Amino acid sequence: MHTNKYTLILIILTSLIFTFGCSNKNSEENVQTKEDNQGNEQQIVEEQEEEQEQVNPLYDTENLVQSNMKIFLNDNPLDLNNTIAKKPLKNNKGNILLPFISSYKLLGFEIELNETEEDLSITAINNSTKIYVAINKYSNIKSISINDKDLSGENIQMYLLEDQNKKNSELLIPLEFIAKSLDTTIVEGNEKDSLVLNTNDFKEKQEKIIEEDKLEDIFSGIGIGIGDSLDKAKEKFGEIGDTGGYQGSDYYSFNNITIFTEIGTKVITSIGLPNSTYSIDGIKAGDNIKKVYDKYGKKEPVEYEGITSVIYENIKGYKVEYSLKSNKKTISFITISEKTSRE
């Protein structure tokens, strides 16, 4: 009887030990499995991050978007229809990106391109400027210089944009880099949503043309100018009236105009306008001197030999003297003298 009782107790204890043992083992296995799963997930995340870090920035063009901004280089519109980009592109920093070759060609540069499967080098040269860019396509190691000054250490973001078949590519550069390479600035254009970049030598030529146009326009309503001959004045205004000498010049009076020449020559050095028939830069005798002040800035009148005058030394390259009536407000006579700044 006692033996059966002890046997029963032993069986119960053995069952409990087995049950708890299995439960602990399963629990341990579940914990280990969970830890393994977490480890695998962490490894996958790390691998994904590593892959993202390994994306070559040179080809990281997925986030580039087309820009509707119109770009003018030396006042010429940049046409990108025959490029892979088709339009100016913009990265997430807001930088406008343009194809290197198309941009510098429009600016008048000669282009030298060398490309292999691994390397790309482009040189752009004009009379005074040389831009050089060399890139290893796989390592994205760049060599950049402007007039042989090394800029490789600067963070200049460039891209290689490929076509759909990945057979052709073009180098994209920031518009700011072009401006830096030419030591010029980018300005807003007259057209809506446009940017203009003009080289300094182009700006100088344009300023010269504009100044020459201004100098011509000042005489457009008269028909003759300083430096013309007296014979041209005769053809324009007809018979000469009074003649004589005045302050080191010979003068010839015509209807509504007086011509001054160098003594003994027929070269016109000054023109006098005695009434409202002709004007200089839109101002004529009879106008209030305030019109001149509003246009060129106020000047104090000067007195000379009983005549009150307001004198401007350089109106579009010429010296202009406005003689006033006794009220010192109304222009009585305008004299435009030989150029003072135009060579």
Side-chain angles (χ1 to χ4, degrees):
M1 180 70 177
H2 291 289
T3 302
N4 292 336
K5 182 177 179 181
Y6 290 138
T7 301
L8 179 61
I9 292 171
L10 182 61
I11 292 171
I12 292 170
L13 290 173
T14 303
S15 299
L16 289 173
I17 292 170
F18 178 78
T19 301
F20 282 113
C22 291
S23 175
N24 289 336
K25 183 178 181 181
N26 290 337
S27 176
E28 290 175 0
E29 289 177 351
N30 289 338
V31 169
Q32 184 64 42
T33 300
K34 185 175 181 180
E35 290 176 351
D36 290 342
N37 289 338
Q38 289 176 343
N40 290 336
E41 290 175 359
Q42 180 66 26
Q43 183 178 357
I44 291 172
V45 170
E46 289 176 355
E47 289 176 353
Q48 289 175 345
E49 290 177 351
E50 186 177 351
E51 288 178 1
Q52 290 176 355
E53 291 175 357
Q54 291 176 351
V55 173
N56 188 340
L58 194 62
Y59 292 95
D60 190 15
T61 59
E62 291 186 0
N63 294 325
L64 301 184
V65 296
Q66 286 190 334
S67 170
N68 290 322
M69 193 70 70
K70 296 178 183 177
I71 307 298
F72 292 84
L73 304 177
N74 279 352
D75 283 353
N76 296 313
L78 179 61
D79 185 1
L80 300 180
N81 287 328
N82 294 325
T83 67
I84 299 173
K86 301 299 181 185
K87 284 187 174 184
L89 299 180
K90 185 168 62 174
N91 63 14
N92 54 13
K93 294 181 180 179
N95 301 123
I96 297 293
L97 302 161
L98 304 175
F100 183 107
I101 293 177
S102 300
S103 301
Y104 280 106
K105 274 188 175 181
L106 187 59
L107 288 166
F109 282 70
E110 295 290 332
I111 304 296
E112 181 181 327
L113 171 66
N114 293 293
E115 186 172 10
T116 66
E117 185 177 341
E118 295 185 3
D119 299 298
L120 169 72
S121 68
I122 308 178
T123 305
I125 302 175
N126 70 2
N127 294 331
S128 58
T129 306
K130 175 184 176 182
I131 297 97
Y132 175 75
V133 175
I135 300 176
N136 181 282
K137 297 179 182 179
Y138 299 116
S139 65
N140 192 26
I141 296 175
K142 303 185 186 76
S143 176
I144 304 171
S145 65
I146 298 174
N147 290 335
D148 297 325
K149 180 182 179 181
D150 185 25
L151 301 178
S152 304
E154 298 190 12
N155 185 22
I156 301 172
Q157 183 63 62
M158 298 183 177
Y159 300 86
L160 274 178
L161 182 66
E162 297 180 315
D163 60 14
Q164 292 182 345
N165 299 322
K166 296 186 181 298
K167 291 184 177 180
N168 300 298
S169 63
E170 60 191 10
L171 180 65
L172 300 179
I173 55 173
L175 179 59
E176 289 85 355
F177 173 79
I178 300 177
K180 180 183 181 70
S181 71
L182 303 175
D183 191 27
T184 188
T185 54
I186 304 163
V187 298
E188 292 186 1
N190 293 326
E191 290 192 29
K192 183 181 179 182
D193 298 328
S194 67
L195 296 174
V196 178
L197 183 154
N198 291 330
T199 56
N200 290 323
D201 57 344
F202 177 83
K203 286 188 281 190
E204 289 173 2
K205 290 178 182 177
Q206 291 301 104
E207 288 171 359
K208 184 176 180 181
I209 291 171
I210 291 170
E211 185 62 25
E212 288 177 350
D213 287 343
K214 287 180 179 178
L215 295 174
E216 293 300 325
D217 288 343
I218 204 168
F219 298 106
S220 60
I222 300 175
I224 62 167
I226 306 300
D228 287 339
S229 69
L230 179 63
D231 292 336
K232 185 174 181 178
K234 291 178 182 178
E235 293 174 5
K236 171 72 178 176
F237 305 114
E239 294 183 3
I240 299 174
D242 292 337
T243 63
Y246 180 73
Q247 293 185 351
S249 298
D250 292 332
Y251 74 85
Y252 304 86
S253 294
F254 297 87
N255 285 333
N256 306 313
I257 194 166
T258 301
I259 301 298
F260 299 87
T261 67
E262 293 179 359
I263 296 176
T265 75
K266 293 184 177 181
V267 179
I268 298 173
T269 57
S270 301
I271 296 174
L273 306 178
N275 55 46
S276 61
T277 303
Y278 300 106
S279 64
I280 287 293
D281 203 24
I283 297 173
K284 58 185 181 297
D287 288 342
N288 193 298
I289 191 63
K290 185 177 182 300
K291 186 175 181 180
V292 178
Y293 295 157
D294 291 342
K295 194 164 190 174
Y296 306 117
K298 187 171 183 179
K299 283 231 177 186
E300 290 298 321
V302 295
E303 299 279 346
Y304 181 72
E305 294 185 354
I307 299 175
T308 302
S309 300
V310 180
I311 301 171
Y312 291 79
E313 295 293 337
N314 190 350
I315 291 181
K316 296 182 178 178
Y318 294 86
K319 180 179 179 180
V320 182
E321 180 177 342
Y322 300 93
S323 300
L324 303 179
K325 292 183 178 180
S326 58
N327 62 14
K328 297 185 180 181
K329 294 181 180 180
T330 307
I331 300 170
S332 62
F333 194 91
I334 301 175
T335 305
I336 180 166
S337 303
E338 59 184 329
K339 43 192 176 284
T340 57
S341 67
R342 183 186 177 192
E343 299 297 333

